[in-house]
Structure formats: structure tokens, C-alpha cells
Amino acid sequence: MKDISMHILDILQNSVSAKAKNISLVIDEDIKENRLIVVIEDDGRGMNPQQAERVIDPFFTTRTTRKVGLGIPLFKHSAQQSGGDLRILSAPGKGTTVTAEFILDNIDRPPLGDVANVFVLTLSSNPDIEFKFRYIFNKNEYTFDTVEVKEALEDVSLNEPSVILALTEMISENIKNLKN
Amino acid sequence: MNKIKSIDDLRKMKKDLEFGMNIREKSNSPESLVQIRVAMATCGIASGAREVMNAMIEKIEKDKIPAVVTQGGCMGYCYAEPTVEVKVPGKDPVVFGYVSPKVAVEILEKYVLNGELIEGIIPTNYQSINQ
């Protein structure tokens, strides 16, 4: 994986596969505290403690199309190689929260990448799921909620290409403003 | 067009978005849209599926092609990622493997718009490891 946003795209897919109705992504970047935290939370089917423990094993997967599940192990490896770690909290029927923490100035930390793009690609493919996104930069934050977007767009579908491009631009601009 | 920064801007540009939709749907009812699924599991993402999906969305938007692109899961063709499944109304789905952004545009121009088959089709008799 070239950057952190690709891991995010991957873990968001896990939430979609877990039949979540609500998925939230939080990115908390704090220069003073020298950390970058990524939290992906869903209300999908969740896992029991044994399963939650095994998802960090690359040879465990609930898929039937192949015998390996590399999403979580790769994300954990990426966090650990840059001085951080990854934690999973999950309960059957309640959902799963994946938290990855990175040391911001660690030389091995991958770049964050285009988070707006991966987030919008995922929400556009799953218009029945509600997505929330919070980007916190040095305690200032930007929030995005598909409930508001759907209300504004009314009958225009989220998978309309012009909507995908518009939403990506909107989130990117707000992140850029937050950082400047 | 001005940059979209807020939900209000989005509301204002809704008319333009609807205009684009009308162009695409005038000659094609919504059910006749071509369905494109880009496999977006770990194997696909690591191989460049995101870039493929972005290229297709941009091309569809630019040329108002009557198609909709969504993400799919792993189809078991990890060796050939990024893979793209294209379902043209009235035809069987076709899966293309080793798709780059350039090939993605070629799929739209040649296969979707002109029905011309291009290299990289995964045969339907391929069986994944658990089948």
C-alpha cells in the first residue's frame, strides 16, 4: 500500500462487507502532539473476541473467494513500522472500531494520501449506508455527513460521476483550508 | 465553475448535476445504464484499483457515457488485479483483468460504446481456489 488512504479504503470495505448501516471515519492529525490517528467505526455485524484476535493473522479471513485476509495485518504493520499501533474493538451485533495510530514525524510513516477521494469512492458505491467523516487538524475540525448531502441533492444519486467529483473537491478543499 | 466548498454550494450546483444526468439519460432509461464494478479488496487496491475507478468516473463524466461505476469485493482473481466487471444491458457480464487507467478508458471507448472486445478478458471458466 502506497499511502494510508489506501488502507482506509480497504478497511472501509470491511465495514461495508459487515453490512454496516452507519460508517464513520475520523482522522486526527496533531503536529504538537506528533501523532496521526485514524479511526474507522461501523455498526456492522461485529466479531467475537476470538475472531477479533484472529483478524491480525494474515491467514484468517471470512471470505470464501480466497484464503488470506491481508487488510488489517498490512494496516497494523504500517502503523507499527512508524512507531504506532493498531487496535480493534468489536462486539457481535454491535459493530467494530479499528484505530490506527502513527507517529507523525516518523520517517517510515507513509503519507496520508488522498483521503477525500477514497472516502467519496466508498460512499458513492454504497448509497444506502450513512457515512460520517471528521478531519481534525491541530484541534480544528471539518465534518461531513451523507445525511446532509442526500438532503441537499434530493433525487440526484451519490454514484452520479459529477456528484463524485463534486464531493471529492468539496472535502479536499475543506481539508486544505483546515491546514492553511 | 466555482469550487464547491459547502453543502450550500452543492445545493446551488444541483441544477447543473441534474442537467448532466438528463443528457446521459435522455436516450437511455436508467435501467439501461452499463453497470461497471471495480474490485476493491486489498488485492485490487494494492494493484491500483482506485486509479482505475477514478479514470472511469472522469471519462464517464466527461463524455456523458450511460454507465455507473461502483466498487465490488474480491472476485477471486487476485492474480489479475485490478479487475473490472462490465455488465452491458442484455449481455453477459465480462471481467477484464490487469486493468490500468489507460485500459479502463479503452474499455469504455471500445467495449462499452462500440461492443468491441479488447485484450485482458478473464475466461468465465476460471475457477477460484475454493470453487
Side-chain angles (χ1 to χ4, degrees):
Chain A
M1 300 282 185
K2 280 188 289 191
D3 57 45
I4 295 173
S5 75
M6 291 171 89
H7 290 290
I8 293 172
L9 176 58
D10 197 4
I11 308 306
L12 287 173
Q13 296 301 321
N14 288 355
S15 297
V16 171
S17 305
K19 304 263 181 269
K21 296 231 171 3
N22 295 281
I23 299 174
S24 129
L25 166 66
V26 180
I27 294 175
D28 186 353
E29 199 175 342
D30 199 310
I31 293 175
K32 215 170 157 187
E33 292 180 25
N34 193 25
R35 58 155 172 76
L36 169 70
I37 299 175
V38 178
V39 184
I40 296 154
E41 190 177 357
D42 70 55
D43 61 355
R45 74 170 82 91
M47 295 175 283
N48 61 39
Q50 290 78 24
Q51 282 175 317
E53 209 172 291
R54 289 192 65 197
V55 289
I56 54 164
D57 174 0
F59 297 101
F60 174 77
T61 181
T62 55
R63 287 180 189 283
T64 52
T65 49
R66 53 177 152 81
K67 290 190 188 293
V68 289
L70 296 173
I72 293 281
L74 286 175
F75 199 15
K76 189 180 172 82
H77 177 256
S78 180
Q80 284 180 332
Q81 79 170 7
S82 31
D85 207 355
L86 178 138
R87 294 184 304 276
I88 298 169
L89 268 176
S90 190
K94 292 194 173 159
T96 302
T97 304
V98 176
T99 306
E101 195 166 341
F102 299 81
I103 305 293
L104 200 60
D105 69 358
N106 189 297
I107 197 160
D108 290 321
R109 181 182 66 82
L112 187 54
D114 194 345
V115 179
N117 180 234
V118 299
F119 184 70
V120 175
L121 288 184
T122 310
L123 71 87
S124 71
S125 295
N126 302 282
D128 297 332
I129 302 175
E130 299 304 347
F131 286 84
K132 281 193 176 69
F133 175 45
R134 283 172 70 209
Y135 194 103
I136 308 162
F137 183 73
N138 291 341
K139 312 258 187 302
N140 296 313
E141 76 173 81
Y142 164 68
T143 57
F144 172 98
D145 192 333
T146 46
V147 174
E148 285 175 1
V149 172
K150 285 177 189 169
E151 217 174 83
L153 293 174
E154 295 172 25
D155 50 345
V156 179
S157 168
L158 288 181
N159 63 25
E160 184 61 31
S162 49
V163 173
I164 297 174
L165 297 174
L167 292 179
T168 308
E169 182 184 284
M170 185 175 102
I171 297 176
S172 300
E173 278 297 308
N174 279 285
I175 293 176
K176 211 163 89 186
N177 289 345
L178 206 61
K179 291 187 162 187
N180 290 331
Chain B
M1 198 187 292
N2 290 332
K3 283 198 169 167
I4 300 149
K5 290 180 181 166
S6 66
I7 298 285
D8 277 340
D9 294 343
L10 208 59
R11 216 170 265 132
K12 279 177 208 153
M13 74 163 291
K14 190 176 160 267
K15 277 205 171 80
D16 297 331
L17 297 174
E18 279 173 337
F19 177 69
M21 280 170 69
N22 286 340
I23 292 173
R24 292 203 311 150
E25 287 173 14
K26 247 175 201 162
S27 55
N28 306 279
S29 57
E31 60 272 17
S32 72
L33 288 177
V34 176
Q35 308 281 331
I36 299 169
R37 272 197 317 154
V38 180
M40 200 68 82
T42 313
C43 42
I45 295 167
S47 310
R50 177 176 64 170
E51 289 76 10
V52 166
M53 190 167 174
N54 282 330
M56 289 188 129
I57 288 167
E58 274 166 30
K59 178 72 179 168
I60 289 170
E61 156 67 6
K62 188 169 150 253
D63 295 356
K64 307 290 175 217
I65 298 169
V68 60
V69 189
T70 55
Q71 298 172 340
C74 174
M75 291 186 277
Y77 308 132
C78 307
Y79 71 95
E81 293 291 351
T83 56
V84 173
E85 183 191 69
V86 183
K87 172 86 180 77
V88 175
K91 287 187 183 175
D92 286 335
V94 175
V95 180
F96 295 89
Y98 304 107
V99 180
S100 64
K102 198 175 154 220
V103 172
V105 170
E106 213 179 317
I107 291 172
L108 289 168
E109 285 173 343
K110 293 189 177 168
Y111 179 64
V112 172
L113 292 177
N114 296 316
E116 188 187 326
L117 292 172
I118 63 164
E119 252 183 74
I121 293 173
I122 297 174
T124 49
N125 61 0
Y126 172 80
Q127 305 232 311
S128 70
I129 48 174
N130 287 347
Q131 284 175 325

mmCIF file of all heavy atoms in Angstrom, chain B residues 85-128:
data_model
loop_
_atom_site.group_PDB
_atom_site.id
_atom_site.type_symbol
_atom_site.label_atom_id
_atom_site.label_comp_id
_atom_site.label_asym_id
_atom_site.label_seq_id
_atom_site.Cartn_x
_atom_site.Cartn_y
_atom_site.Cartn_z
ATOM 1 N N GLU B 85 -15.496 -5.605 -13.737
ATOM 2 C CA GLU B 85 -16.602 -6.356 -14.342
ATOM 3 C C GLU B 85 -17.530 -5.372 -15.045
ATOM 4 O O GLU B 85 -17.937 -4.382 -14.453
ATOM 5 C CB GLU B 85 -17.364 -7.114 -13.264
ATOM 6 C CG GLU B 85 -18.477 -7.973 -13.831
ATOM 7 C CD GLU B 85 -19.398 -8.522 -12.747
ATOM 8 O OE1 GLU B 85 -20.139 -7.725 -12.145
ATOM 9 O OE2 GLU B 85 -19.357 -9.732 -12.507
ATOM 10 N N VAL B 86 -17.800 -5.655 -16.291
ATOM 11 C CA VAL B 86 -18.667 -4.748 -17.061
ATOM 12 C C VAL B 86 -19.918 -5.509 -17.485
ATOM 13 O O VAL B 86 -19.834 -6.570 -18.103
ATOM 14 C CB VAL B 86 -17.938 -4.215 -18.318
ATOM 15 C CG1 VAL B 86 -18.828 -3.224 -19.062
ATOM 16 C CG2 VAL B 86 -16.623 -3.558 -17.936
ATOM 17 N N LYS B 87 -21.089 -4.957 -17.098
ATOM 18 C CA LYS B 87 -22.351 -5.601 -17.472
ATOM 19 C C LYS B 87 -23.109 -4.643 -18.385
ATOM 20 O O LYS B 87 -23.658 -3.633 -17.955
ATOM 21 C CB LYS B 87 -23.149 -5.892 -16.192
ATOM 22 C CG LYS B 87 -24.555 -6.385 -16.391
ATOM 23 C CD LYS B 87 -24.601 -7.902 -16.586
ATOM 24 C CE LYS B 87 -26.019 -8.422 -16.784
ATOM 25 N NZ LYS B 87 -26.586 -8.186 -18.109
ATOM 26 N N VAL B 88 -23.041 -4.974 -19.669
ATOM 27 C CA VAL B 88 -23.791 -4.193 -20.655
ATOM 28 C C VAL B 88 -25.206 -4.778 -20.706
ATOM 29 O O VAL B 88 -25.346 -6.004 -20.763
ATOM 30 C CB VAL B 88 -23.100 -4.277 -22.048
ATOM 31 C CG1 VAL B 88 -23.930 -3.575 -23.113
ATOM 32 C CG2 VAL B 88 -21.699 -3.687 -21.979
ATOM 33 N N PRO B 89 -26.255 -3.936 -20.619
ATOM 34 C CA PRO B 89 -27.611 -4.471 -20.622
ATOM 35 C C PRO B 89 -27.849 -5.443 -21.783
ATOM 36 O O PRO B 89 -27.469 -5.164 -22.915
ATOM 37 C CB PRO B 89 -28.498 -3.225 -20.762
ATOM 38 C CG PRO B 89 -27.664 -2.129 -20.227
ATOM 39 C CD PRO B 89 -26.252 -2.468 -20.557
ATOM 40 N N GLY B 90 -28.421 -6.599 -21.439
ATOM 41 C CA GLY B 90 -28.728 -7.598 -22.465
ATOM 42 C C GLY B 90 -27.575 -8.529 -22.791
ATOM 43 O O GLY B 90 -27.718 -9.440 -23.592
ATOM 44 N N LYS B 91 -26.430 -8.291 -22.170
ATOM 45 C CA LYS B 91 -25.266 -9.153 -22.448
ATOM 46 C C LYS B 91 -24.783 -9.782 -21.139
ATOM 47 O O LYS B 91 -25.064 -9.256 -20.059
ATOM 48 C CB LYS B 91 -24.113 -8.327 -23.029
ATOM 49 C CG LYS B 91 -24.324 -7.876 -24.461
ATOM 50 C CD LYS B 91 -23.048 -7.229 -24.944
ATOM 51 C CE LYS B 91 -23.201 -6.689 -26.361
ATOM 52 N NZ LYS B 91 -22.013 -5.951 -26.785
ATOM 53 N N ASP B 92 -24.006 -10.861 -21.227
ATOM 54 C CA ASP B 92 -23.416 -11.464 -20.032
ATOM 55 C C ASP B 92 -22.312 -10.551 -19.500
ATOM 56 O O ASP B 92 -21.638 -9.872 -20.288
ATOM 57 C CB ASP B 92 -22.796 -12.828 -20.375
ATOM 58 C CG ASP B 92 -23.859 -13.888 -20.588
ATOM 59 O OD1 ASP B 92 -24.966 -13.728 -20.029
ATOM 60 O OD2 ASP B 92 -23.599 -14.850 -21.332
ATOM 61 N N PRO B 93 -22.104 -10.546 -18.168
ATOM 62 C CA PRO B 93 -21.011 -9.709 -17.641
ATOM 63 C C PRO B 93 -19.650 -10.190 -18.147
ATOM 64 O O PRO B 93 -19.461 -11.383 -18.337
ATOM 65 C CB PRO B 93 -21.102 -9.896 -16.126
ATOM 66 C CG PRO B 93 -22.322 -10.693 -15.861
ATOM 67 C CD PRO B 93 -22.789 -11.309 -17.136
ATOM 68 N N VAL B 94 -18.762 -9.253 -18.362
ATOM 69 C CA VAL B 94 -17.412 -9.593 -18.812
ATOM 70 C C VAL B 94 -16.430 -9.042 -17.783
ATOM 71 O O VAL B 94 -16.568 -7.911 -17.324
ATOM 72 C CB VAL B 94 -17.118 -8.951 -20.201
ATOM 73 C CG1 VAL B 94 -15.673 -9.196 -20.614
ATOM 74 C CG2 VAL B 94 -18.058 -9.511 -21.250
ATOM 75 N N VAL B 95 -15.454 -9.870 -17.371
ATOM 76 C CA VAL B 95 -14.457 -9.400 -16.403
ATOM 77 C C VAL B 95 -13.128 -9.167 -17.125
ATOM 78 O O VAL B 95 -12.618 -10.061 -17.799
ATOM 79 C CB VAL B 95 -14.266 -10.414 -15.244
ATOM 80 C CG1 VAL B 95 -13.220 -9.907 -14.254
ATOM 81 C CG2 VAL B 95 -15.579 -10.671 -14.523
ATOM 82 N N PHE B 96 -12.612 -7.978 -16.973
ATOM 83 C CA PHE B 96 -11.313 -7.623 -17.551
ATOM 84 C C PHE B 96 -10.268 -7.635 -16.435
ATOM 85 O O PHE B 96 -10.531 -7.135 -15.343
ATOM 86 C CB PHE B 96 -11.346 -6.217 -18.170
ATOM 87 C CG PHE B 96 -12.273 -6.094 -19.353
ATOM 88 C CD1 PHE B 96 -13.607 -5.753 -19.177
ATOM 89 C CD2 PHE B 96 -11.809 -6.335 -20.642
ATOM 90 C CE1 PHE B 96 -14.464 -5.638 -20.264
ATOM 91 C CE2 PHE B 96 -12.659 -6.232 -21.736
ATOM 92 C CZ PHE B 96 -13.984 -5.880 -21.552
ATOM 93 N N GLY B 97 -9.102 -8.204 -16.726
ATOM 94 C CA GLY B 97 -8.035 -8.245 -15.737
ATOM 95 C C GLY B 97 -6.860 -7.368 -16.141
ATOM 96 O O GLY B 97 -6.782 -6.921 -17.284
ATOM 97 N N TYR B 98 -5.958 -7.136 -15.188
ATOM 98 C CA TYR B 98 -4.762 -6.303 -15.396
ATOM 99 C C TYR B 98 -5.146 -4.938 -15.981
ATOM 100 O O TYR B 98 -4.525 -4.467 -16.935
ATOM 101 C CB TYR B 98 -3.771 -7.000 -16.343
ATOM 102 C CG TYR B 98 -3.346 -8.375 -15.896
ATOM 103 C CD1 TYR B 98 -3.806 -9.515 -16.544
ATOM 104 C CD2 TYR B 98 -2.490 -8.539 -14.798
ATOM 105 C CE1 TYR B 98 -3.426 -10.788 -16.128
ATOM 106 C CE2 TYR B 98 -2.112 -9.810 -14.381
ATOM 107 C CZ TYR B 98 -2.568 -10.920 -15.053
ATOM 108 O OH TYR B 98 -2.195 -12.165 -14.636
ATOM 109 N N VAL B 99 -6.170 -4.336 -15.426
ATOM 110 C CA VAL B 99 -6.669 -3.069 -15.980
ATOM 111 C C VAL B 99 -5.863 -1.892 -15.404
ATOM 112 O O VAL B 99 -5.741 -1.758 -14.188
ATOM 113 C CB VAL B 99 -8.180 -2.881 -15.657
ATOM 114 C CG1 VAL B 99 -8.683 -1.565 -16.225
ATOM 115 C CG2 VAL B 99 -8.989 -4.048 -16.198
ATOM 116 N N SER B 100 -5.341 -1.084 -16.281
ATOM 117 C CA SER B 100 -4.661 0.148 -15.853
ATOM 118 C C SER B 100 -5.630 1.294 -16.147
ATOM 119 O O SER B 100 -6.625 1.090 -16.848
ATOM 120 C CB SER B 100 -3.380 0.328 -16.664
ATOM 121 O OG SER B 100 -3.733 0.504 -18.025
ATOM 122 N N PRO B 101 -5.343 2.520 -15.660
ATOM 123 C CA PRO B 101 -6.239 3.635 -16.007
ATOM 124 C C PRO B 101 -6.396 3.799 -17.524
ATOM 125 O O PRO B 101 -7.478 4.099 -18.005
ATOM 126 C CB PRO B 101 -5.543 4.849 -15.385
ATOM 127 C CG PRO B 101 -4.791 4.289 -14.225
ATOM 128 C CD PRO B 101 -4.327 2.936 -14.679
ATOM 129 N N LYS B 102 -5.316 3.543 -18.274
ATOM 130 C CA LYS B 102 -5.377 3.665 -19.730
ATOM 131 C C LYS B 102 -6.313 2.599 -20.325
ATOM 132 O O LYS B 102 -7.141 2.884 -21.193
ATOM 133 C CB LYS B 102 -3.951 3.497 -20.291
ATOM 134 C CG LYS B 102 -3.780 4.007 -21.682
ATOM 135 C CD LYS B 102 -2.317 3.899 -22.105
ATOM 136 C CE LYS B 102 -2.270 3.782 -23.611
ATOM 137 N NZ LYS B 102 -1.292 2.841 -24.093
ATOM 138 N N VAL B 103 -6.165 1.372 -19.836
ATOM 139 C CA VAL B 103 -7.026 0.282 -20.312
ATOM 140 C C VAL B 103 -8.483 0.543 -19.911
ATOM 141 O O VAL B 103 -9.415 0.234 -20.661
ATOM 142 C CB VAL B 103 -6.521 -1.086 -19.775
ATOM 143 C CG1 VAL B 103 -7.491 -2.211 -20.096
ATOM 144 C CG2 VAL B 103 -5.146 -1.404 -20.339
ATOM 145 N N ALA B 104 -8.664 1.138 -18.719
ATOM 146 C CA ALA B 104 -10.026 1.440 -18.241
ATOM 147 C C ALA B 104 -10.753 2.350 -19.231
ATOM 148 O O ALA B 104 -11.917 2.134 -19.568
ATOM 149 C CB ALA B 104 -9.949 2.097 -16.863
ATOM 150 N N VAL B 105 -10.034 3.352 -19.719
ATOM 151 C CA VAL B 105 -10.618 4.285 -20.694
ATOM 152 C C VAL B 105 -10.901 3.546 -22.006
ATOM 153 O O VAL B 105 -11.932 3.742 -22.643
ATOM 154 C CB VAL B 105 -9.669 5.497 -20.902
ATOM 155 C CG1 VAL B 105 -10.114 6.362 -22.069
ATOM 156 C CG2 VAL B 105 -9.589 6.330 -19.621
ATOM 157 N N GLU B 106 -9.968 2.629 -22.349
ATOM 158 C CA GLU B 106 -10.127 1.834 -23.575
ATOM 159 C C GLU B 106 -11.366 0.935 -23.481
ATOM 160 O O GLU B 106 -12.092 0.761 -24.455
ATOM 161 C CB GLU B 106 -8.873 0.974 -23.741
ATOM 162 C CG GLU B 106 -8.479 0.726 -25.178
ATOM 163 C CD GLU B 106 -7.212 -0.110 -25.231
ATOM 164 O OE1 GLU B 106 -6.279 0.161 -24.441
ATOM 165 O OE2 GLU B 106 -7.170 -1.026 -26.031
ATOM 166 N N ILE B 107 -11.616 0.378 -22.282
ATOM 167 C CA ILE B 107 -12.804 -0.477 -22.080
ATOM 168 C C ILE B 107 -14.061 0.344 -22.369
ATOM 169 O O ILE B 107 -14.989 -0.116 -23.029
ATOM 170 C CB ILE B 107 -12.830 -1.047 -20.632
ATOM 171 C CG1 ILE B 107 -11.710 -2.068 -20.445
ATOM 172 C CG2 ILE B 107 -14.192 -1.667 -20.315
ATOM 173 C CD1 ILE B 107 -11.516 -2.544 -19.007
ATOM 174 N N LEU B 108 -14.067 1.590 -21.874
ATOM 175 C CA LEU B 108 -15.247 2.446 -22.083
ATOM 176 C C LEU B 108 -15.395 2.807 -23.559
ATOM 177 O O LEU B 108 -16.486 2.707 -24.125
ATOM 178 C CB LEU B 108 -15.129 3.720 -21.236
ATOM 179 C CG LEU B 108 -15.294 3.528 -19.723
ATOM 180 C CD1 LEU B 108 -14.875 4.781 -18.971
ATOM 181 C CD2 LEU B 108 -16.727 3.163 -19.373
ATOM 182 N N GLU B 109 -14.287 3.195 -24.168
ATOM 183 C CA GLU B 109 -14.354 3.640 -25.573
ATOM 184 C C GLU B 109 -14.663 2.494 -26.532
ATOM 185 O O GLU B 109 -15.492 2.623 -27.421
ATOM 186 C CB GLU B 109 -13.022 4.280 -25.980
ATOM 187 C CG GLU B 109 -12.841 5.668 -25.395
ATOM 188 C CD GLU B 109 -11.458 6.234 -25.658
ATOM 189 O OE1 GLU B 109 -10.529 5.462 -25.997
ATOM 190 O OE2 GLU B 109 -11.293 7.467 -25.492
ATOM 191 N N LYS B 110 -13.978 1.365 -26.315
ATOM 192 C CA LYS B 110 -14.124 0.269 -27.288
ATOM 193 C C LYS B 110 -15.251 -0.691 -26.922
ATOM 194 O O LYS B 110 -16.113 -0.969 -27.745
ATOM 195 C CB LYS B 110 -12.793 -0.482 -27.429
ATOM 196 C CG LYS B 110 -11.725 0.382 -28.061
ATOM 197 C CD LYS B 110 -10.496 -0.408 -28.398
ATOM 198 C CE LYS B 110 -9.474 0.479 -29.110
ATOM 199 N NZ LYS B 110 -8.174 -0.168 -29.214
ATOM 200 N N TYR B 111 -15.227 -1.227 -25.692
ATOM 201 C CA TYR B 111 -16.218 -2.256 -25.360
ATOM 202 C C TYR B 111 -17.592 -1.657 -25.039
ATOM 203 O O TYR B 111 -18.602 -2.072 -25.608
ATOM 204 C CB TYR B 111 -15.714 -3.119 -24.189
ATOM 205 C CG TYR B 111 -16.728 -4.173 -23.806
ATOM 206 C CD1 TYR B 111 -17.070 -5.190 -24.709
ATOM 207 C CD2 TYR B 111 -17.380 -4.149 -22.577
ATOM 208 C CE1 TYR B 111 -18.025 -6.150 -24.390
ATOM 209 C CE2 TYR B 111 -18.337 -5.101 -22.251
ATOM 210 C CZ TYR B 111 -18.647 -6.097 -23.162
ATOM 211 O OH TYR B 111 -19.610 -7.029 -22.845
ATOM 212 N N VAL B 112 -17.625 -0.681 -24.145
ATOM 213 C CA VAL B 112 -18.926 -0.140 -23.721
ATOM 214 C C VAL B 112 -19.615 0.616 -24.856
ATOM 215 O O VAL B 112 -20.797 0.418 -25.121
ATOM 216 C CB VAL B 112 -18.753 0.765 -22.464
ATOM 217 C CG1 VAL B 112 -20.046 1.493 -22.127
ATOM 218 C CG2 VAL B 112 -18.296 -0.063 -21.278
ATOM 219 N N LEU B 113 -18.873 1.474 -25.533
ATOM 220 C CA LEU B 113 -19.520 2.303 -26.555
ATOM 221 C C LEU B 113 -19.650 1.601 -27.907
ATOM 222 O O LEU B 113 -20.587 1.853 -28.647
ATOM 223 C CB LEU B 113 -18.771 3.633 -26.719
ATOM 224 C CG LEU B 113 -18.867 4.586 -25.515
ATOM 225 C CD1 LEU B 113 -18.027 5.824 -25.757
ATOM 226 C CD2 LEU B 113 -20.318 4.995 -25.232
ATOM 227 N N ASN B 114 -18.694 0.703 -28.228
ATOM 228 C CA ASN B 114 -18.727 0.090 -29.569
ATOM 229 C C ASN B 114 -18.867 -1.430 -29.579
ATOM 230 O O ASN B 114 -18.867 -2.033 -30.650
ATOM 231 C CB ASN B 114 -17.460 0.483 -30.353
ATOM 232 C CG ASN B 114 -17.416 1.979 -30.591
ATOM 233 O OD1 ASN B 114 -18.425 2.579 -30.943
ATOM 234 N ND2 ASN B 114 -16.265 2.582 -30.356
ATOM 235 N N GLY B 115 -18.923 -2.049 -28.412
ATOM 236 C CA GLY B 115 -19.091 -3.502 -28.342
ATOM 237 C C GLY B 115 -17.884 -4.287 -28.816
ATOM 238 O O GLY B 115 -17.963 -5.495 -29.068
ATOM 239 N N GLU B 116 -16.738 -3.608 -28.926
ATOM 240 C CA GLU B 116 -15.529 -4.263 -29.428
ATOM 241 C C GLU B 116 -14.766 -4.884 -28.253
ATOM 242 O O GLU B 116 -14.486 -4.188 -27.265
ATOM 243 C CB GLU B 116 -14.683 -3.161 -30.085
ATOM 244 C CG GLU B 116 -13.482 -3.611 -30.827
ATOM 245 C CD GLU B 116 -12.662 -2.401 -31.281
ATOM 246 O OE1 GLU B 116 -13.262 -1.337 -31.598
ATOM 247 O OE2 GLU B 116 -11.440 -2.514 -31.299
ATOM 248 N N LEU B 117 -14.457 -6.170 -28.338
ATOM 249 C CA LEU B 117 -13.739 -6.816 -27.228
ATOM 250 C C LEU B 117 -12.264 -6.434 -27.260
ATOM 251 O O LEU B 117 -11.691 -6.280 -28.333
ATOM 252 C CB LEU B 117 -13.887 -8.338 -27.316
ATOM 253 C CG LEU B 117 -15.304 -8.861 -27.052
ATOM 254 C CD1 LEU B 117 -15.386 -10.346 -27.354
ATOM 255 C CD2 LEU B 117 -15.742 -8.601 -25.617
ATOM 256 N N ILE B 118 -11.699 -6.289 -26.073
ATOM 257 C CA ILE B 118 -10.265 -5.950 -26.032
ATOM 258 C C ILE B 118 -9.527 -7.001 -25.199
ATOM 259 O O ILE B 118 -10.141 -7.800 -24.507
ATOM 260 C CB ILE B 118 -10.024 -4.530 -25.474
ATOM 261 C CG1 ILE B 118 -10.506 -4.403 -24.024
ATOM 262 C CG2 ILE B 118 -10.661 -3.473 -26.337
ATOM 263 C CD1 ILE B 118 -9.956 -3.182 -23.324
ATOM 264 N N GLU B 119 -8.218 -6.956 -25.249
ATOM 265 C CA GLU B 119 -7.398 -7.929 -24.533
ATOM 266 C C GLU B 119 -7.604 -7.847 -23.025
ATOM 267 O O GLU B 119 -7.892 -6.773 -22.497
ATOM 268 C CB GLU B 119 -5.919 -7.629 -24.816
ATOM 269 C CG GLU B 119 -5.273 -8.640 -25.723
ATOM 270 C CD GLU B 119 -3.812 -8.341 -25.917
ATOM 271 O OE1 GLU B 119 -3.052 -8.583 -24.973
ATOM 272 O OE2 GLU B 119 -3.467 -7.844 -27.005
ATOM 273 N N GLY B 120 -7.418 -8.980 -22.346
ATOM 274 C CA GLY B 120 -7.446 -8.958 -20.888
ATOM 275 C C GLY B 120 -8.701 -9.544 -20.281
ATOM 276 O O GLY B 120 -8.901 -9.461 -19.069
ATOM 277 N N ILE B 121 -9.555 -10.154 -21.103
ATOM 278 C CA ILE B 121 -10.785 -10.741 -20.561
ATOM 279 C C ILE B 121 -10.457 -12.028 -19.801
ATOM 280 O O ILE B 121 -9.699 -12.869 -20.288
ATOM 281 C CB ILE B 121 -11.810 -11.013 -21.691
ATOM 282 C CG1 ILE B 121 -12.277 -9.668 -22.271
ATOM 283 C CG2 ILE B 121 -12.994 -11.826 -21.179
ATOM 284 C CD1 ILE B 121 -13.149 -9.781 -23.490
ATOM 285 N N ILE B 122 -11.020 -12.143 -18.593
ATOM 286 C CA ILE B 122 -10.802 -13.357 -17.812
ATOM 287 C C ILE B 122 -11.869 -14.368 -18.239
ATOM 288 O O ILE B 122 -13.056 -14.068 -18.161
ATOM 289 C CB ILE B 122 -10.875 -13.065 -16.298
ATOM 290 C CG1 ILE B 122 -9.742 -12.102 -15.918
ATOM 291 C CG2 ILE B 122 -10.812 -14.344 -15.488
ATOM 292 C CD1 ILE B 122 -9.772 -11.620 -14.501
ATOM 293 N N PRO B 123 -11.432 -15.565 -18.682
ATOM 294 C CA PRO B 123 -12.422 -16.537 -19.168
ATOM 295 C C PRO B 123 -13.431 -16.906 -18.083
ATOM 296 O O PRO B 123 -13.077 -16.988 -16.901
ATOM 297 C CB PRO B 123 -11.580 -17.751 -19.555
ATOM 298 C CG PRO B 123 -10.175 -17.315 -19.523
ATOM 299 C CD PRO B 123 -10.070 -16.078 -18.710
ATOM 300 N N THR B 124 -14.668 -17.137 -18.462
ATOM 301 C CA THR B 124 -15.704 -17.437 -17.463
ATOM 302 C C THR B 124 -15.504 -18.806 -16.826
ATOM 303 O O THR B 124 -16.055 -19.079 -15.776
ATOM 304 C CB THR B 124 -17.110 -17.407 -18.101
ATOM 305 O OG1 THR B 124 -17.068 -18.201 -19.287
ATOM 306 C CG2 THR B 124 -17.559 -16.012 -18.431
ATOM 307 N N ASN B 125 -14.680 -19.664 -17.451
ATOM 308 C CA ASN B 125 -14.480 -20.985 -16.848
ATOM 309 C C ASN B 125 -13.355 -20.978 -15.806
ATOM 310 O O ASN B 125 -13.017 -22.000 -15.232
ATOM 311 C CB ASN B 125 -14.218 -22.057 -17.920
ATOM 312 C CG ASN B 125 -12.972 -21.761 -18.731
ATOM 313 O OD1 ASN B 125 -12.284 -20.762 -18.508
ATOM 314 N ND2 ASN B 125 -12.682 -22.628 -19.694
ATOM 315 N N TYR B 126 -12.794 -19.798 -15.520
ATOM 316 C CA TYR B 126 -11.769 -19.716 -14.478
ATOM 317 C C TYR B 126 -12.416 -20.013 -13.134
ATOM 318 O O TYR B 126 -13.485 -19.512 -12.819
ATOM 319 C CB TYR B 126 -11.138 -18.318 -14.434
ATOM 320 C CG TYR B 126 -10.217 -18.146 -13.249
ATOM 321 C CD1 TYR B 126 -8.918 -18.641 -13.275
ATOM 322 C CD2 TYR B 126 -10.676 -17.543 -12.080
ATOM 323 C CE1 TYR B 126 -8.093 -18.532 -12.182
ATOM 324 C CE2 TYR B 126 -9.853 -17.427 -10.969
ATOM 325 C CZ TYR B 126 -8.556 -17.912 -11.026
ATOM 326 O OH TYR B 126 -7.746 -17.817 -9.935
ATOM 327 N N GLN B 127 -11.762 -20.857 -12.318
ATOM 328 C CA GLN B 127 -12.326 -21.185 -11.004
ATOM 329 C C GLN B 127 -11.367 -20.687 -9.932
ATOM 330 O O GLN B 127 -10.170 -20.899 -10.016
ATOM 331 C CB GLN B 127 -12.470 -22.688 -10.869
ATOM 332 C CG GLN B 127 -13.290 -23.299 -11.996
ATOM 333 C CD GLN B 127 -14.409 -24.160 -11.483
ATOM 334 O OE1 GLN B 127 -14.189 -24.998 -10.639
ATOM 335 N NE2 GLN B 127 -15.606 -23.936 -11.993
ATOM 336 N N SER B 128 -11.934 -20.018 -8.913
ATOM 337 C CA SER B 128 -11.062 -19.542 -7.835
ATOM 338 C C SER B 128 -10.751 -20.715 -6.902
ATOM 339 O O SER B 128 -11.374 -21.766 -6.969
ATOM 340 C CB SER B 128 -11.690 -18.370 -7.095
ATOM 341 O OG SER B 128 -12.776 -18.801 -6.355
#
